[in-house]
Each structure stands twice: as C-alpha cells, then as structure tokens.
Amino acid sequence: MDGRIHKFNLNNRNIVLDINSGAVHVVDDVVYHILDYYSTRSLEEIIDLLKDRFDGNTIKEAYDEIKILIDNGVLYSEETSTMNKIKYNEDNVVKALCLHVAHDCNLRCKYCFASQGDFKGDRSLMNLEVGKRALEFLVENSANRRNLEVDFFGGEPLMNFELVKELVYYGRELENKSNKHFRFTITTNGLLLDDEKIDFINEHMDNVVMSLDGRKEINDNMRKTVSGQGSYDVILPKFKALIEKRGDKDYYIRGTFTSYNLDFSKDALDFYEKGFKKISIEPVVTEPDEEYALREEHIETILAEYESFSKDYIEIKKKDKDFLFFHFMIDLDQGPCIAKRVTGCGAGAEYMAVTPEGDLYPCHQFVGDENFKIGNVFSGIEKDELREEFKEANVLNKDECRSCWARYYCSGGCHANAYNTNRDIMKPYKIGCEMEKKRIECAISILANLLE
Amino acid sequence: MKYIKTISGSNMKDTILKGGCGECQTSCQSACKTSCTVGNQKCENR
Ligand code: SF4
Ligand code: SF4
C-alpha cells in the first residue's frame, strides 16, 4: 500500500499525493505522521507510537479522516486494472514536426547539441520543396487530428526566414483545403531579429522560444558569436522589442543551465528583472564527460536550488500572477488525460524532426545520428521497428518508471537523455529523474501556498 | 475535515474511459525542447 502515496514537506506544507487518482491533500502534522504507520499498524499501535506528540483523541479523529479519503477513492487508491489496455497511437498518427530549416548557425554556443548548428553534417538550408512536402506529410499522416504543430528550428531558423514565411503561407492554404489547424512556433537565438521579422513572428507564431542564458556573464561564457565575442548585449534588446509588441500571445525566454551555473535561479530572476515573465531554464543535455555536464555530484546542489527558487517564486507570484517558470507550472484539475500522462513526449511516434534534406528522426535531439533515421518526408516511414521502440518506451514499460511516484507527471522522461547517458531509451537518465521529481514537488507546494 | 484539506480531488482514472483524443500540445514543443513534463499541460477536450 505504501507505494500508492507520496508525501513530502516543502514550503511549510505537508503534502500527500495519491499517485493513482492524482488527488492532492495538504495535511496537518498528525495526519502526516499517522501515514507513516497507517498501512502496517492498528489504530491502538499508532496511538501508542505517537503518544509523545499527539493526544489519543486527536489521533483518532485524524485516523477517521484518513479512512474517509480512502473510502472516497482519493487516498491509497489502486491502479486501475484497465491501465494496460491503454492503446497508444495505434494508427500511427503524426501530429507535430520540428522543422530544421537551417543546419547552420550564427552563434557558437559551447553546449550546442547540434554541434554549432550543422548537426555533425554539412551546413545546409532546407529548400521550399522539402518544406512544403513536410507540411503535406504532416497533413497526410495526421488522420482526424485537427491541431497540428510545426516548430521552426535549426540551427538558427532566422537564417532561412524566407522559407519560414513561405511555409506559413503554404500551411494556411493547406488548412483551408484539409480542415486542419496549424500551430506554428519558432525557436531562435534572436541574433537576426529586426522589425519586419518581429512583426511576422508576432502575427503568425503561436509561441516563440527565445534562447538566452540569463545573466550576462553566464550567457557570454557559453553563447559566443562567430568571432568569439559574448552575444548578450546584441540580443537582449531584440528580445525585449519582440515581447513589447507581442501582446498576450505566448512566448518563453529559455536558458540552459550547466555545471557552471548551478545557481540558475539567479538567471531566472535576472530575466524577470529585465521584463520577461514567461521563463524556462533547462538543464543541459550532453554527453556525461563534457566539463559543463551535470553530474551526480551536482544533484544535491541542483535540488536545493529548485527548492530555494520555489520560495522566491511564491513571493513573486503573490504580487505578479503573470510570472511563469515552465517547470513550476502544474495543473491539477484540468491536466491531461491518463493516456497522455503515460505516453509522454511522443517522440518517434506522433512527433518527429525533419532535416533540411527531408529525413525524419524521432526528435530534434536525435538528428544527425544515422542509426535513428526513421524515414523521409518523400518516401514516408521506413523503419517501423524504430517507431515501435519509441512507442513502447513509456511509463508502463520502463522498469524504473513503473514504481516511481512521479510517473503520471513526468510521463517517462526524455529519450534523448536516456540514450545519451545509458545508450538505452528504456533506462531513464537518473539526474533527470531527480530533477523532475523535485520540480513536481516544488510545483505542488507552490500551488498549495498560492491557493490560500 | 479538520486535519486534511484536499486541493485536488480530480480523479485521473475517469479519463481512461475517454482514451486520448490527441488534440493537446506535444510537450517538447512548448517551451523546453529538452524535457518531457506533461503534468503542466492543458487538456483540449474539456
Ligand atoms: S522521474 Fe524517472 S523514473 Fe520517474 S517517471 Fe520520470 S523518467 Fe520514470
Ligand atoms: S526525446 Fe527528449 S528532447 Fe526529444 S521530444 Fe522527447 S523529451 Fe523532447
């Protein structure tokens, strides 16, 4: 029974999560302590065990309340027996593509998983034929899904902006013909932004992800121009100009943290001071032997950093509800269905990346590794077994995830991280798991604080 | 209740009957491009 709940104390709240129902309770100390023994001891034994801390009557009352929750199916609830009947993407729908419109970049960020934009291949730009075909491929493979997503990615997509524009217009044409809706997004380093591009992006992109690393010195140490200069001073004003004209449309300013800035909450707060409200700071994804890689010896510091940031976050959030840190957002009531929760990111199944040549990969992180080439937009999916492997890589099938309390929030972690560290997409990346679990705890404790 | 405050009683199990409609956003596209969190996503079908 103990594997059915997860409890923790954070930000002055005792929180109890009922893993299988998704219910969340904030409880008094007495309940919190009773739960240590509830499944193995009788009420009399518990009264005796806790007699120095709580009087017998209080324990009895709290014990009865626990029983009520159990009867209502929101505590110690069982995993539903139909769980293994969840079918995932049986008809092989593809609903999202990451278009690598430019395998080239005008920055030389040290941690770039794309090897400075060229993904270990030749520098190249996607042409219109490939781009159009990619959108058609998406429409053709999306069955009855209406909402389709296309992210313009690179390298640096602004280096091929004419194509981006053409594809947005072509997408609008396809929408009319096929009763689909495209959500376009773009992920950019901002260097080539000008007024015209900003206006186009603000008009047509449902979301824009702006890459920058927070504090100037942190950014400039990792994100260099081609001539080796820091990029911060050139880029910051452009991103500011973009969000000033963005209205209430979505955006994220997105930083990366490495072993050089384990105090990354300072980077998030620096963004906030500069006027950005929707912030995401992501752990670097890289091979473990890089100097800037996050290693097990860093875990403790990172987890403490998330906790201390969650305290600042609560304070800011009380004054400014628009402040958002991507990993502290959680939706306990309107969140996704269980099918989504067990199947995760969809890489290699409903989500794929397209290279300038039109080759398909399970996701942007796998591009460039020939073993993971799954097909081509002209010839379709060629490696069905690879797609099946990715479809099978979900929380219901991964050993670690099966018994992990966070499985319905995390949904199984990032395959690329798993592959980079363990050469196996079925074996989650341990550091990633530790971070993810801490972020979920932070997010729930934030909510518990803000609800009052 | 005197000692317990339930902040979310939502029962995920109910959603199993509906299955996934698949209209929601792909998690990695939203903000991060490097991680997979679904707990913070919105359902498009309620
Ligand atoms: S935190 Fe790790 S073990 Fe837990 S569900 Fe996520 S990937 Fe699986
Ligand atoms: S494998 Fe990782 S990087 Fe790729 S889509 Fe999934 S979460 Fe994102």
Side-chain angles (χ1 to χ4, degrees), chain A residues 86-141:
Chain A
I86 292 180
K87 296 280 179 259
Y88 175 53
N89 202 2
E90 278 185 309
D91 27 357
N92 289 323
V93 165
V94 182
K95 65 172 194 181
L97 288 181
C98 177
L99 295 190
H100 293 229
V101 294
H103 272 185
D104 195 356
C105 194
N106 44 13
L107 285 185
R108 295 290 177 265
C109 304
K110 287 189 206 160
Y111 48 55
C112 185
F113 65 86
S115 309
Q116 275 69 45
D118 63 6
F119 288 83
K120 302 178 187 117
D122 292 330
R123 297 187 182 278
S124 55
L125 300 181
M126 183 179 282
N127 66 30
L128 188 59
E129 191 198 355
V130 171
K132 281 183 162 178
R133 182 56 214 148
L135 297 188
E136 291 159 7
F137 172 89
L138 185 56
V139 169
E140 288 161 16
N141 285 277

Side-chain angles (χ1 to χ4, degrees), chain A residues 16 18 38 71-72 80 124 130 140 152 156 176 184 298 322 392 408:
Chain A
V16 181
D18 185 44
Y38 190 88
D71 290 344
N72 291 343
T80 144
S124 55
V130 171
E140 288 161 16
F152 294 105
E156 171 49 43
N176 293 335
F184 290 111
H298 300 131
D322 295 335
E392 289 295 310
Y408 299 128

Side-chain angles (χ1 to χ4, degrees), chain A residues 139 142-146 148 174-175 178-182:
Chain A
V139 169
S142 58
N144 54 3
R145 300 296 188 285
R146 197 175 116 74
L148 307 180
L174 287 177
E175 276 180 341
S178 55
N179 189 30
K180 298 283 178 183
H181 173 66
F182 279 103

Side-chain angles (χ1 to χ4, degrees), chain A residues 283 306 327-328 435-443, chain B residues 35 37:
Chain A
Y306 278 122
H327 286 297
F328 285 171
M435 292 190 286
E436 177 69 4
K437 288 187 277 188
K438 183 54 72 186
R439 294 189 298 232
I440 296 166
E441 289 186 350
C442 288
Chain B
S35 65
T37 309

Side-chain angles (χ1 to χ4, degrees), chain A residues 285 344-348 351 362-366 390 413-417, chain B residues 26-29 32-37:
Chain A
V285 179
C345 69
Y351 169 66
C363 89
H364 53 288
Q365 294 274 354
F366 289 97
F390 275 85
C414 165
H415 306 310
N417 269 328
Chain B
T26 305
S27 49
C28 215
Q29 298 280 61
C32 41
K33 284 284 188 190
T34 51
S35 65
C36 176
T37 309

Side-chain angles (χ1 to χ4, degrees), chain A residues 21 23-28 58 61 65 78 82 95-98 145-147 149 151 183 207 252 254 282 326-327 329 331-336 338 340-341 345 351 364-365 409-411 452, chain B:
Chain A
S21 72
V24 180
H25 314 282
V26 180
V27 305
D28 285 1
T58 307
E61 280 177 4
E65 290 194 7
E78 282 178 51
T82 46
K95 65 172 194 181
L97 288 181
C98 177
R145 300 296 188 285
R146 197 175 116 74
N147 292 321
E149 293 158 51
D151 189 42
R183 277 182 188 149
N207 189 10
Y252 273 96
R254 180 213 185 279
E282 296 290 325
F326 181 72
H327 286 297
M329 288 158 59
D331 191 333
L332 295 178
D333 293 317
Q334 301 289 309
I338 210 143
K340 171 88 172 183
R341 286 175 186 270
C345 69
Y351 169 66
H364 53 288
Q365 294 274 354
Y409 299 88
C410 155
S411 79
E452 281 151 28
Chain B
M1 292 238 171
K2 198 164 149 195
Y3 305 99
I4 301 175
K5 195 172 133 204
T6 297
I7 59 173
S8 167
S10 90
N11 199 333
M12 282 190 301
K13 288 182 198 170
D14 296 345
T15 66
I16 210 164
L17 303 169
K18 283 198 284 179
C21 74
E23 292 293 352
C24 51
Q25 215 180 351
T26 305
S27 49
C28 215
Q29 298 280 61
S30 40
C32 41
K33 284 284 188 190
T34 51
S35 65
C36 176
T37 309
V38 297
N40 62 11
Q41 290 199 297
K42 286 248 181 291
C43 173
E44 300 271 336
N45 192 17
R46 294 195 200 184

